[in-house]
Amino acid sequence: QVRLVESGGGLVQAGGSLRLSCAASGSIFSINVMGWYRQAPGKQRELVASITYGGSPNYVDSVKGRFTISRDNAKNTVYLQMNSLKPEDTAVYYCNAEAYDSTFPPKLMPYWGKGTLVTVSS
């Protein structure tokens, strides 16, 4: 099994910064794409950013220029640096990964973390 655990959420004022981390553990053979989703109160979940194994990022338009996604493949960890935070960024942020487990033949499966709450006050 593969587990994803997020950390780094909290309460910040508008204009502040936070860095989210997500560490994968368990029976992992390899991890392909990793990403961050968020779900604000009363809204549907949306993809915020994703990153390939080779480090190519993709962002939703609303966070371009403010957020940066990165990963450390040796640590099976993905990060989301969030700068110039706005109240509209308030949401539960979920880590996602497409990973091969260690069974034979390995299976490619999606995995989700439990989420970490980010609250931005005005």
Side-chain angles (χ1 to χ4, degrees), residues 31-36 47-59 68-73 77-80 96-98:
I31 303 175
N32 285 349
V33 175
M34 302 186 80
W36 291 93
L47 176 63
V48 179
S50 64
I51 185 168
T52 67
Y53 180 86
S56 297
N58 195 283
Y59 302 95
T68 302
I69 189 170
S70 61
R71 65 189 289 171
D72 185 336
N73 292 331
T77 300
V78 63
Y79 307 94
L80 186 67
N96 171 261
E98 295 284 340

Side-chain angles (χ1 to χ4, degrees), residues 10-97:
L11 174 64
V12 298
Q13 292 185 339
S17 298
L18 284 173
R19 190 177 81 148
L20 306 183
S21 299
C22 172
S25 62
S27 301
I28 303 169
F29 179 73
S30 66
I31 303 175
N32 285 349
V33 175
M34 302 186 80
W36 291 93
Y37 289 72
R38 68 184 180 187
Q39 188 163 27
K43 298 181 176 62
Q44 63 184 7
R45 188 174 298 187
E46 67 171 346
L47 176 63
V48 179
S50 64
I51 185 168
T52 67
Y53 180 86
S56 297
N58 195 283
Y59 302 95
V60 67
D61 286 344
S62 61
V63 308
K64 288 181 178 178
R66 300 189 297 122
F67 291 9
T68 302
I69 189 170
S70 61
R71 65 189 289 171
D72 185 336
N73 292 331
K75 297 180 179 179
N76 287 329
T77 300
V78 63
Y79 307 94
L80 186 67
Q81 178 67 46
M82 304 185 294
N83 299 327
S84 302
L85 282 162
K86 305 175 181 179
E88 303 89 88
D89 296 318
T90 296
V92 176
Y93 284 71
Y94 297 92
C95 180
N96 171 261

